[in-house]
Amino acid sequence: MHAFFASGRAVDLVLALMLAEALLLAGLHRYAGRAPPPDRWLANLGSGFCLLLGLRAVIAGAAWPWLALALTGSLAAHLIDLRRRWH
């Protein structure tokens, strides 16, 4: 189990599940009208996705600019989400 987390595969699994969730929600909204529209949840999901990409970069030993890029993406998505919720 230690190797699963230390290798970053746990993060990869969560990222894959988040992508599947996004595709499922978008599909349910488009074809069945049974999910909220993507503009209501995409920024929130994107913020978490970017945070996990940052974690993955750290686990992989990537250079610091990759972490900074992921954190900046997360901040941007978070601010977009806040703006949408504020109005």
Side-chain angles (χ1 to χ4, degrees):
M1 189 61 94
H2 175 359
F4 177 68
F5 285 94
S7 69
R9 288 192 178 136
V11 177
D12 294 341
L13 176 62
V14 174
L15 288 169
L17 289 172
M18 288 177 77
L19 181 60
E21 176 187 12
L23 292 173
L24 178 67
L25 285 172
L28 282 173
H29 173 71
R30 181 173 183 170
Y31 298 111
R34 301 194 67 200
D39 66 338
R40 296 204 21 217
W41 50 263
L42 193 58
N44 190 318
L45 196 67
S47 179
F49 197 86
C50 286
L51 284 174
L52 285 170
L53 286 176
L55 174 61
R56 184 66 175 98
V58 168
I59 290 173
W64 70 265
W66 290 109
L67 174 59
L69 182 64
L71 292 176
T72 302
S74 181
L75 174 64
H78 176 65
L79 292 175
I80 290 168
D81 183 47
L82 277 179
R83 182 170 182 208
R84 286 239 345 109
R85 291 173 190 258
W86 200 276
H87 292 286

